């Protein structure tokens, strides 16, 4: 069972992602939420057993790119998948170069989540 951390500044989007994960039939145990990269780092620092991170790119305080860099700088190898409206190839390339495993474009379907995340959890 996967423990997933969802990092997105929109509480509505966090709920949509949570619901879609369950609709996709993925084996999800716990879902943790964070409103930005700083909160995301604090969830990881708390020792919660996170097995997958889903993160937005555009967030206040600490964006998704900086969040990935910080997670990787701390030696954490948990898979990180970006869920974003950001269509720009450059920013997605930077996310992958910084340590993201993949990206999913909003809006998405439960089937797309199953396809992208099925192999990671």
């Amino acid at each position: 069972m996967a423990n997933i951390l969802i990092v997105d500044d929109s509480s509505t989007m966090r709920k949509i992602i949570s619901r879609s994960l369950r609709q996709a039939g993925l084996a999800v145990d716990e879902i943790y939420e964070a409103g930005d990269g700083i909160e995301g780092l604090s969830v990881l620092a708390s020792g919660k057993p996170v097995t997958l991170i889903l993160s937005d790119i555009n967030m206040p305080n600490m964006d998704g790119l900086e969040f990935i860099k910080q997670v990787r700088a701390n030696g954490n190898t948990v898979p990180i998948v970006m869920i974003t409206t950001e269509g720009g190839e450059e920013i997605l390339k930077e996310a992958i170069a910084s340590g993201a495993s993949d990206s999913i474009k909003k809006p998405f379907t439960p089937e797309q989540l199953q396809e992208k995340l099925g192999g990671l959890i």
Side-chain angles (χ1 to χ4, degrees):
M1 294 291 269
N3 293 315
I4 299 177
L5 169 59
I6 300 171
V7 185
D8 195 304
D9 56 317
S10 161
S11 61
T12 304
M13 184 48 66
R14 293 195 303 265
K15 285 180 181 56
I16 291 169
I17 294 169
S18 296
R19 193 170 55 242
S20 297
L21 286 168
R22 299 198 192 285
Q23 287 173 340
L26 295 162
V28 176
D29 189 12
E30 290 287 332
I31 293 179
Y32 308 110
E33 295 187 12
D36 61 33
I38 295 170
E39 284 181 28
L41 289 175
S42 122
V43 169
L44 293 173
S46 73
K48 291 191 177 12
V50 173
T51 50
L52 175 67
I53 298 170
L54 302 176
S55 177
D56 191 10
I57 290 179
N58 298 313
M59 298 179 286
N61 306 320
M62 179 187 288
D63 69 15
L65 294 174
E66 185 57 31
F67 174 66
I68 299 169
K69 291 173 185 162
Q70 294 287 330
V71 170
R72 295 300 182 234
N74 292 338
N76 194 326
T77 58
V78 65
I80 303 173
V81 175
M82 307 313 290
I83 296 188
T84 181
T85 52
E86 194 63 61
E89 289 302 307
E90 286 309 308
I91 200 155
L92 292 175
K93 278 186 189 142
E94 186 179 345
I96 300 291
S98 299
S101 310
D102 208 339
S103 65
I104 297 172
K105 201 163 170 27
K106 296 175 192 170
F108 52 83
T109 64
E111 293 72 29
Q112 287 169 310
L113 287 183
Q114 169 64 46
E115 185 184 312
K116 290 271 191 177
L117 305 178
L120 295 173
I121 57 176

